[in-house]
């Protein structure tokens, strides 16, 4: 709720200057013009123009270029009204949105309440396959209040609704766009879209935020191989890339014309022990694994220091709801051995499925294999290709790895990955007390009590869930120094996937 009052949420478009990451020219005034080519690490023939179905970083970047949302989380991580110019709620159950007038879609049609109501309601249709289908179960009713008003009534209080609505999946389409084609109210217009190949957009001269965007043209492509992606940056073939491996940062920093943008984040790769199977569902097995993780080694050797030590729960130390009272789990071979013996698990043989798709997982698996051998646990590393990993292997074996992008609220990451009935409950962990706290925290108006609830939830996940989080991984982008206006945004790489609105070219 940062940036919003309890009673009323007043404001305008995203405010505040963005400090440019433009070599040493920090005082440059944004200028209009220029074209850039941008490469992400993810690509799929399922690339989509439908925000509800976005699943990859390339999708998120594309959608933020083309569409706008009711609210927006800016570079300062404060969520403010966007297409809505005023938001009010007295009880955090019923929310009233007054829409900004005079906003037009790329085809010239004016934005009205009908567009917003249609865009939000469609997520509840099972046939759509919305990635936010579980979240919108909280929407009891979405109705129009005249031409420029919308009311959302929730099934229960949720103080984080404005933050949730800022996610790319909830960007607004024109009513009736059953097959979205890029017609939005965003800063860029679609010029070309070839799934799995490229997206080309051009500046929307009628964008409703005065003065933005600055670039005339952006071509978005994907280069899955990290070395090739960095080579493309250094050769000048692209001007911005994401997901740089820490081992490549010296190469980028060694080039006078390029720079690295590192952002501490809540991104993590986690080892998943399915609680619905044995032996991974045995509490002693999970405890042994947690004490076999050399977190300092993972941070130092795998991520070259571009990481923050984790503690087997998804809230990082720099989050406002982080609970520092949860005891830090560390490498302890004696305790790991004791848990294996106590659980009758000594000599167990089990494969760990790892893939380049889950950043650092192959090396993490090798470290676990080595330490496991010292305490009587026979783990074999089964490396599988990145292509198809998430559909074929993730959550399909007793031991696999996940890779979770930052989420803007504690409620969202807990709801998506740890709630008992969540589709992405990776370890299949179920805890009634956790579910009860999750619902109660959404409704809690007292900040101290809300903090205490999230603190207890972190303790429960740490103690009982089958998810092991060694570190939180910094987001590392590389860019041409002539591309200005970039700044770290913990919500995701490339300024929380929203660089296109703020970046400019200093030729």
């Amino acid at each position: 709720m940062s940036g919003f009052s309890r009673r009323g949420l007043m404001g305008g478009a995203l405010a505040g200057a963005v400090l440019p990451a433009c070599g040493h020219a920090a005082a440059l005034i944004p200028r209009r013009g220029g074209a850039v080519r941008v490469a992400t690490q993810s690509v799929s023939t399922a690339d989509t123009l439908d925000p509800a179905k976005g699943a990859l970083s390339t999708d998120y970047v594309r959608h933020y270029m083309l569409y706008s949302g009711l609210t927006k989380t800016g570079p300062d991580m404060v969520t403010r009204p966007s297409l809505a110019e005023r938001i009010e709620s007295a009880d955090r159950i019923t929310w009233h949105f007054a829409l900004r007038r005079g906003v037009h879609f790329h085809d010239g049609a004016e934005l009205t309440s009908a567009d917003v109501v249609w865009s939000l309601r469609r997520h509840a249709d099972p046939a759509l396959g919305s990635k936010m289908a579980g979240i919108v179960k909280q929407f009891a009713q979405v109705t129009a209040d005249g031409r420029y008003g919308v009311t959302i009534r929730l099934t229960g209080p949720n103080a984080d609704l404005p933050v949730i609505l800022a996610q790319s999946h909830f960007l607004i389409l024109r009513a009736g766009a059953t097959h979205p084609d890029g017609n939005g109210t965003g800063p860029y217009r679609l010029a070309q879209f070839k799934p799995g190949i490229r997206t080309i957009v051009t500046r929307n001269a009628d964008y409703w935020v005065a003065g933005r965007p600055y670039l005339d043209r952006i071509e978005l492509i994907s280069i899955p191989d990290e070395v090739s992606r960095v080579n493309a940056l250094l050769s000048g073939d692209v001007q911005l890339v994401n997901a740089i491996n820490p081992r490549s940062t010296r190469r980028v920093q060694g080039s006078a014309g390029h720079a690295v943008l590192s952002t501490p984040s809540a991104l993590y790769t986690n080892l998943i022990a399915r609680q619905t199977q044995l032996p991974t569902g045995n509490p002693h097995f999970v405890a042994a694994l947690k004490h076999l993780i050399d977190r300092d080694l993972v941070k130092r050797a795998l991520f070259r220091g571009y990481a923050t030590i984790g503690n087997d729960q998804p809230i990082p130390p720099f989050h406002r709801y982080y609970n520092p009272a949860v005891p830090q789990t560390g490498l302890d071979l004696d305790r790991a051995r004791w848990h294996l013996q106590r659980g009758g698990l000594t000599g167990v043989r089990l494969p760990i499925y790892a893939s380049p798709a889950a950043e650092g997982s192959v090396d993490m698996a090798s470290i676990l294999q080595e330490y496991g051998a010292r305490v009587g646990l026979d783990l074999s590393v089964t490396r599988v290709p990145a292509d198809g990993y998430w559909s074929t292997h993730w959550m399909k074996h007793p031991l696999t790895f996940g890779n979770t992008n930052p989420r803007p609220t504690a409620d969202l990451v807990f709801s998506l990955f740890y709630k008992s009935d969540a589709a992405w409950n990776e370890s299949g962990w179920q805890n009634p007390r956790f579910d009860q706290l999750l619902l109660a925290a959404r409704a809690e108006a007292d900040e101290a009590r809300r903090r205490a609830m999230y603190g207890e939830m972190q303790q429960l996940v740490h103690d009982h869930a089958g998810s092991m989080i060694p570190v939180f991984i910094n987001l590392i982008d590389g860019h041409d120094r002539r591309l200005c206006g970039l700044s770290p945004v913990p919500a995701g790489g490339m300024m929380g996937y929203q660089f296109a609105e703020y970046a400019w070219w200093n030729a």
Side-chain angles (χ1 to χ4, degrees), residues 442-457:
R442 289 176 187 165
E444 183 54 64
D446 183 273
E447 187 67 13
R449 287 199 292 266
R450 198 173 195 224
R451 184 183 303 276
M453 290 177 184
Y454 283 129
E456 184 179 346
M457 292 158 70

Side-chain angles (χ1 to χ4, degrees), residues 71-337:
T71 59
K72 185 168 190 172
T73 300
D76 56 4
M77 290 306 293
V78 173
T79 300
R80 299 180 175 88
S82 184
L83 289 179
E85 64 179 358
R86 187 175 68 257
I87 308 174
E88 296 176 346
S89 180
D91 58 7
R92 304 188 181 198
I93 296 177
T94 302
W95 295 79
H96 303 283
F97 298 79
L99 300 183
R100 188 178 302 279
R101 304 191 183 199
V103 176
H104 292 84
F105 287 92
H106 299 155
D107 66 0
E110 185 186 19
L111 172 79
T112 70
S113 56
D115 302 303
V116 175
V117 170
W118 187 87
S119 295
L120 297 183
R121 282 181 177 176
R122 68 192 294 264
H123 290 274
D125 181 1
L128 176 64
S130 169
K131 301 301 183 183
M132 290 290 127
I135 299 300
V136 298
K137 290 179 180 179
Q138 300 177 44
F139 295 6
Q141 193 174 44
V142 182
T143 57
D145 181 14
R147 185 173 176 82
Y148 301 106
V150 174
T151 297
I152 300 176
R153 183 169 59 83
L154 303 178
T155 56
N158 191 339
D160 289 330
L161 179 62
V163 185
I164 291 172
L165 292 176
Q167 302 311 293
S168 65
H169 301 88
F170 289 112
L171 297 172
I172 303 303
L173 304 172
R174 188 174 177 188
T178 54
H179 297 88
D181 59 3
N183 179 33
T185 60
Y188 290 87
R189 298 172 181 264
L190 184 65
Q192 184 185 108
F193 174 58
K194 294 185 177 181
I197 301 175
R198 70 173 55 84
T199 303
I200 297 177
V201 297
T202 58
R203 186 173 66 84
N204 177 15
D206 298 319
Y207 186 45
W208 55 272
V209 178
R212 296 188 191 137
Y214 307 110
L215 295 168
D216 286 337
R217 183 180 185 272
I218 300 173
E219 180 179 358
L220 178 66
I221 64 171
S222 179
I223 305 177
D225 180 70
E226 190 268 346
V227 173
S228 299
R229 197 161 58 250
V230 172
N231 286 342
L233 174 68
L234 297 180
S235 68
D237 189 44
V238 298
Q239 288 72 50
L240 174 66
V241 299
N242 73 337
I244 288 183
N245 190 296
R247 290 188 289 269
S248 299
T249 54
R250 289 186 179 178
R251 289 185 62 207
V252 177
Q253 292 169 328
S255 169
H258 298 88
V260 164
L261 184 65
S262 176
T263 307
S265 81
L267 170 69
Y268 62 82
T269 292
N270 58 321
L271 175 65
I272 303 163
R274 292 290 294 175
Q275 298 300 284
T276 55
Q277 304 177 50
L278 290 175
T280 51
N282 186 319
H284 286 291
F285 184 85
V286 175
L289 287 178
K290 291 179 177 179
H291 288 293
L292 289 175
I293 299 175
D294 190 338
R295 298 161 202 266
D296 290 326
L297 179 62
V298 170
K299 176 182 178 179
R300 184 178 66 255
L302 273 62
F303 297 104
R304 299 296 194 269
Y306 288 94
T308 303
I309 294 295
N311 196 23
D312 305 328
Q313 58 82 20
I315 307 301
F318 41 82
H319 194 285
R320 63 175 175 155
Y321 289 132
Y322 174 71
N323 182 4
V326 178
Q328 176 66 54
T329 302
L331 178 66
D332 190 329
L333 298 185
D334 289 335
R335 292 193 67 179
R337 186 181 293 107

Side-chain angles (χ1 to χ4, degrees), residues 415-480:
S415 296
L416 289 173
F417 295 96
Y418 293 91
K419 191 171 181 286
S420 294
D421 61 356
W424 292 342
N425 181 354
E426 296 175 301
S427 70
W429 175 67
Q430 296 187 347
N431 187 292
R433 173 61 178 169
F434 176 89
D435 294 341
Q436 179 186 28
L437 286 167
L438 183 62
L439 294 177
R442 289 176 187 165
E444 183 54 64
D446 183 273
E447 187 67 13
R449 287 199 292 266
R450 198 173 195 224
R451 184 183 303 276
M453 290 177 184
Y454 283 129
E456 184 179 346
M457 292 158 70
Q458 292 168 57
Q459 185 76 63
L460 288 170
V461 171
H462 172 273
D463 292 347
H464 303 294
S467 174
M468 284 135 278
I469 304 174
V471 298
F472 295 96
I473 307 166
N474 286 20
L475 305 169
I476 308 177
D477 299 331
H479 65 94
D480 188 304

